[in-house]
């Protein structure tokens, strides 16, 4: 808290997300036009994104320098995922992802208030190259987070179709599943997310070699973050290669996506969590 000097609006994004979740969960719905597809809801999400984005920028890029930690990392990832969803939802049938994306953003927006982060580098805030690397990395992890949520949704849909989940007929979950696009469409949307996310992840990993040289005096530092980032990159690369060569799909593809994303989280969030919370050092 002393480092960030949180302004009074620090909890405004969380409050907006919570109101949106309550409305999406319990608000009235029309069979002809579901409430979650209305322009009013889209405008409310945009308002929450703007508030969340301003809060994040002020708390990360401070006059003292670049302040960061696992909480800020997760909050940024959630913001990017929801922002990308919001934009794509105008053109693609992915409204079923909205509740998951908003819930993730709500939970992660609370974390910086609890874990204020540490001052990483007084020079980073004025270094455009570092900022560029940081922004690309955050966007890539945000897109792959959305892809992971999409994969989880596909897993639920697949199990429901094979009657491996107990679902109450005519209940909210049943209607929600009925509104999902066909699995083939869902799969195509998933890989579209993965293609873009993997491209940005590749740019992040290889541009990170340059910053390793600048920060540590060596081309590559084999710490936990680097190792898990490379593991995640190879897993995503293998998934896309298998998709291209043998048409990998279905549950095998979903498991591969979630495994690669778990490694990515360990790289970009887990290492900071261990340092800040478990070891209690920056």
């Amino acid at each position: 808290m002393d480092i960030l000097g949180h302004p009074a609006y620090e909890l405004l994004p969380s409050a907006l997300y919570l109101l949106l979740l309550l409305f999406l969960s319990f608000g009235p719905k029309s069979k002809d036009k579901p409430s979650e597809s209305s322009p009013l809801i889209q405008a409310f999400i945009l308002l929450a994104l703007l508030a969340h984005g301003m809060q994040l920028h002020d708390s990360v890029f401070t006059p003292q320098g670049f302040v960061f930690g696992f909480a800020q990392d997760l909050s940024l990832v959630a913001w990017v995922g929801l922002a990308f969803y919001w934009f794509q939802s105008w053109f693609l049938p992915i409204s079923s992802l909205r509740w998951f994306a908003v819930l993730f953003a709500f939970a992660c927006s609370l974390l910086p208030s609890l874990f204020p982060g540490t001052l990483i580098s007084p020079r980073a805030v004025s270094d455009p190259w570092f900022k560029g690397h940081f922004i690309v990395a955050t966007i890539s992890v945000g897109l792959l987070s959305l892809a992971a949520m999409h994969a989880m949704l596909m897993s639920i849909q697949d199990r429901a179709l094979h009657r491996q989940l107990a679902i109450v007929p005519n209940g909210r979950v049943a209607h929600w599943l009925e509104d999902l696009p066909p699995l083939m469409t869902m799969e195509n949307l998933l890989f579209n997310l993965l293609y873009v996310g993997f491209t940005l992840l590749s740019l992040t990993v290889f541009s990170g070699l340059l910053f390793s040289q600048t920060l540590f005096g060596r081309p590559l530092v084999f710490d936990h973050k680097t190792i898990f980032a490379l593991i995640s990159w190879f897993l995503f690369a293998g998934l896309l290669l298998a998709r291209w060569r043998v048409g990998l799909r279905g549950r095998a593809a979903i498991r591969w996506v979630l495994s690669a994303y778990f490694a990515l989280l360990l790289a970009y969030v887990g290492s900071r969590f261990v340092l800040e919370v478990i070891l209690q050092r920056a």
Side-chain angles (χ1 to χ4, degrees), residues 1 6 10-15 17-18 52 55-56 71-72 74-75 78 103-116:
M1 299 289 286
H6 287 300
E10 63 175 351
L11 294 179
L12 177 60
S14 303
Y17 288 139
L18 180 59
H52 193 179
Q55 178 211 40
L56 280 170
Q72 290 75 23
L74 272 176
S75 189
L103 178 63
F104 187 46
F106 166 69
C108 294
S109 67
L110 293 170
L111 293 177
S113 301
L114 303 174
F115 304 97

Side-chain angles (χ1 to χ4, degrees), residues 75-277:
S75 189
L76 274 168
V77 165
W79 184 87
V80 170
L82 182 60
F84 187 78
Y85 162 79
W86 180 87
F87 177 76
Q88 290 283 56
S89 64
W90 292 101
F91 311 103
L92 298 174
I94 55 174
S95 61
S96 52
L97 268 179
R98 182 169 298 168
W99 194 88
F100 285 98
V102 173
L103 178 63
F104 187 46
F106 166 69
C108 294
S109 67
L110 293 170
L111 293 177
S113 301
L114 303 174
F115 304 97
T118 55
L119 187 63
I120 302 298
S121 170
R123 298 171 300 176
V125 70
S126 60
D127 187 340
W129 292 104
F130 184 87
K131 269 191 174 182
H133 171 79
F134 171 74
I135 290 171
V136 171
T138 303
I139 292 175
S140 67
V141 180
L143 294 182
L144 293 172
S145 298
L146 193 60
M149 286 187 279
H150 194 91
M152 288 187 285
L153 186 59
M154 286 178 59
S155 179
I156 295 173
Q157 185 182 21
D158 179 74
R159 291 178 182 277
L161 288 174
H162 290 86
R163 301 186 182 277
Q164 294 180 352
L165 289 178
I167 297 178
V168 179
N170 298 320
R172 282 184 174 267
V173 176
H175 288 301
W176 173 64
L177 289 172
E178 289 174 359
D179 291 336
L180 293 177
L183 267 175
M184 286 288 292
T185 303
M186 295 280 285
E187 188 172 87
N188 290 333
L189 292 174
L190 172 65
F191 278 93
N192 287 338
L193 288 172
L194 290 174
Y195 292 139
V196 179
F198 177 73
T199 300
L200 294 177
L201 180 63
S202 300
L203 182 60
T204 299
V205 170
F206 293 111
S207 66
L209 303 182
L210 172 63
F211 288 102
S212 293
Q213 178 70 44
T214 302
L215 295 174
F216 304 109
R218 290 182 290 170
L220 186 62
V221 178
F222 280 99
D223 54 9
H224 291 85
K225 179 178 180 179
T226 302
I227 292 172
F228 280 113
L230 290 173
I231 290 173
S232 177
W233 186 89
F234 279 112
L235 286 172
F236 278 119
L239 168 65
L240 296 180
L241 181 62
R243 172 75 171 183
W244 174 58
R245 293 297 299 271
V246 299
L248 182 71
R249 55 181 304 178
R251 295 185 182 182
I254 292 172
R255 287 193 292 266
W256 207 325
V257 170
L258 296 179
S259 298
Y261 180 69
F262 180 70
L264 189 66
L265 276 187
L266 289 178
Y268 286 92
V269 179
S271 58
R272 296 299 309 173
F273 178 82
V274 171
L275 286 174
E276 295 175 36
V277 178

